[in-house]
Amino acid sequence: MKKIGILTSGGDCQSLNATMRGVVKGLNHLLGDIDLYGFEDGYRGLVYGKYRKMKPEDFSGILTRGGTILGTSRMPFKEIHIPDQFGVDKVAAMKATYHFLKLDCLVVLGGNGSQKTANLLCEEGLNIVSLPKTIDNDLWGTDMTFGFQSAVDIATSTIDCIHTTASSHNRVFIVELMGHKVGWVTLHAGIAGGADIILIPEIPYNFDHVLDAIWKRADSGKGFTILAVAEGAISQEDALLSKKKYKEKQANSTYATVSYELADRIHEATGQEVRVTIPGHTQRGGVPDPFDRVISTRLGVAAAELIAREEYGRMVVMRGYDVDSIPLSETAGKLKYVSPDDQIIKNAKNLGISFGD
Ligand code: F6P
């Protein structure tokens, strides 16, 4: 009987449970009885031997439940080789737990940092199969991550709500969206929500061009303007700074986020009232949408198929509308950015959306 461990790592998203359900149902269907161990709070559970012996039934009835029944935590990859406060060597401890339980495979649901750790464990000789989780959609090698679409839905409905209030006031509205260093959520929600200006990290903005877009709307008789701004959006001047200098600038800033600085600058330059809305972690909350339920289920079953074939060291991925897998070593440490040359950017520009560039 195969012994399988499973964990969810990093920031949560809506369809972690749906994905685990797909893995476990798939394993059960393909292999019959399995020994299952669920690690609590991500890699922490593996380091400190915090696990639960689980049954396939534990993964039933969770298709629509957001969050993760196993709990999750962040264990930054850059600190993975630094012993904890008690001197515990994390990598050695994770290997020890895996070998103590005599696991045949560890299943990891995680984003960028978690995939790096998964790859490291693979290089250390453990059998790993991983799945691409993150609302940011920034994992290299997969066209889509699970969690992304549900986050886009929430971000879009925030912009939708802003639209109705915006049309009653002559104001500039900024909706700041998550995405860490990439602009996928903002780009998709911005288009879906009908934003007039979309600012993403991959396309540094020129403030004067942002103003031009606001004036253009005013000149055409539109009383309000909606900006969808990624939390990592950056101006062209700031993009010229070294990473260190930019971090220092941010640390010394009196503004809580990029949007508040932008709001002040727009107000000073135009005299228009500006409001900022930040949906924040609501973008990771609630139930997974049907699209995510479908891809989570399919990716989960594909992971089970890899385990049944004993093809380890791989991450399952979406290629267009098909499911495939790639070696973990190929994706670990690489981010998938929006490219300014992507067709979706050209489409948006030809619609009249300004990216401030
Ligand atoms: O990676 C997912 C994400 O939600 C990012 O979009 C965001 O920058 C970050 O996590 C927030 O992290 P935390 O939940 O640790 O505040």
Side-chain angles (χ1 to χ4, degrees), residues 139-197:
L139 269 179
W140 190 92
T142 185
D143 288 341
M144 194 163 289
T145 55
F146 62 84
F148 170 64
Q149 198 58 56
S150 302
V152 168
D153 288 359
I154 293 170
T156 303
S157 65
T158 303
I159 301 177
D160 288 347
C161 291
I162 289 300
H163 241 119
T164 64
T165 171
S167 57
S168 316
H169 292 268
N170 289 334
R171 285 173 173 167
V172 174
F173 285 84
I174 299 178
V175 180
E176 182 180 303
L177 301 170
M178 275 188 171
H180 199 215
K181 294 179 182 163
V182 304
W184 293 108
V185 173
T186 307
L187 176 61
H188 282 243
I191 293 173
D196 310 296
I197 300 171

Side-chain angles (χ1 to χ4, degrees), residues 13-47:
C13 75
Q14 293 88 339
S15 57
L16 281 162
N17 288 327
T19 309
M20 287 196 280
R21 170 183 173 272
V23 175
V24 173
K25 274 187 178 281
L27 285 172
N28 209 220
H29 182 79
L30 294 166
L31 299 174
D33 284 344
I34 39 165
D35 248 357
L36 263 179
Y37 296 88
F39 292 98
E40 292 172 10
D41 304 332
Y43 286 113
R44 253 186 227 163
L46 192 61
V47 171

